[in-house]
Amino acid sequence: LRATGIEFESELAFSGLSAVLRPLIDRVEDLTDVQARSLRGALGLEQSDGPALTVYGAALSLISQAAVDRPVALLVDDAQWMDRASLEALVFAAHRCSADRVGIVFAERTGVPCLLDQTRFPRLELPGLDTGAAVELLARQGVAPAVAERRRELTHGNPLALIEGARRLGPDQRTGAAPAPPRPPTSPP
């Protein structure tokens, strides 16, 4: 199961949860009537106004039920842009599904406030790419090694900034025949 937080949807309650649970929507009927009604209402599938805790419990039940059949990996990228209601539901589930065959990974950008900052989940901070990896990554975009090394310095090895920046370089800038911008076209997230 997966979802990516989208900045312009960050105010749409349960939009992220909708993306996560979409593959399981046919299992909603297996929930209790109260949970099913609340979850369908939260996901905009029917008119219902269940309490948040019921929606959170329904999401947990749905994910846990899916894990009975086979292990579930739930991946959330750009969690800092996921709507708060969805992120609360997924954090609620993450705190309670340790006995289930469920693994949950949240990825968030540093420096952007996020509900996950208030949790005690184990964290792994990923450093930027080293020079060799950056050169290899940008070689796929037709960027010369010397240009890639400079871009790596400017972006501190942030893979997204490297890729997005390389896309904005002209052909001569990629080879080093023309000067590249002194600052990366995108700021490192």
Side-chain angles (χ1 to χ4, degrees):
L1 304 174
R2 64 177 167 253
T4 298
I6 301 171
E7 194 170 7
F8 71 85
E9 287 186 2
S10 64
E11 299 298 319
L12 297 174
F14 296 114
S15 61
L17 190 63
S18 173
V20 169
L21 298 181
R22 187 175 186 90
L24 304 178
I25 208 70
D26 59 329
R27 295 175 175 253
V28 170
E29 300 309 316
D30 296 338
L31 300 174
T32 66
D33 289 341
V34 172
Q35 282 187 335
R37 197 170 37 258
S38 293
L39 187 58
R40 283 194 302 265
L43 300 180
L45 301 174
E46 75 176 46
Q47 186 67 27
S48 177
D49 217 5
L53 185 58
T54 306
V55 174
Y56 300 169
L60 170 62
S61 294
L62 208 56
I63 293 165
S64 295
Q65 285 176 8
V68 169
D69 297 336
R70 65 178 189 234
V72 171
L74 196 158
L75 311 171
V76 178
D77 192 20
D78 283 332
Q80 76 281 354
W81 289 332
M82 185 164 279
D83 65 280
R84 185 163 181 99
S86 294
L87 200 51
E88 285 176 354
L90 296 173
V91 166
F92 180 88
H95 278 120
R96 288 161 180 81
C97 65
S98 60
D100 299 313
R101 298 182 316 161
V102 176
I104 301 178
V105 175
F106 295 100
E108 66 174 312
R109 295 184 186 194
T110 57
V112 180
C114 180
L115 173 68
L116 295 173
D117 300 334
Q118 300 170 28
T119 68
R120 294 186 182 192
F121 296 141
R123 293 184 179 274
L124 173 64
E125 290 199 26
L126 301 176
L129 299 177
D130 64 27
T131 301
V135 168
E136 183 180 334
L137 176 68
L138 292 184
R140 296 179 199 151
Q141 305 257 338
V143 177
V147 175
E149 287 178 26
R150 179 67 182 136
R151 304 322 290 170
R152 189 248 170 242
E153 290 172 14
L154 292 170
T155 62
H156 305 286
N158 179 291
L160 179 61
L162 284 165
I163 292 169
E164 291 297 318
R167 287 183 182 146
R168 293 190 175 131
L169 295 176
D172 288 345
Q173 292 173 321
R174 289 173 189 236
T175 64
R183 293 184 314 177
T186 59
S187 59

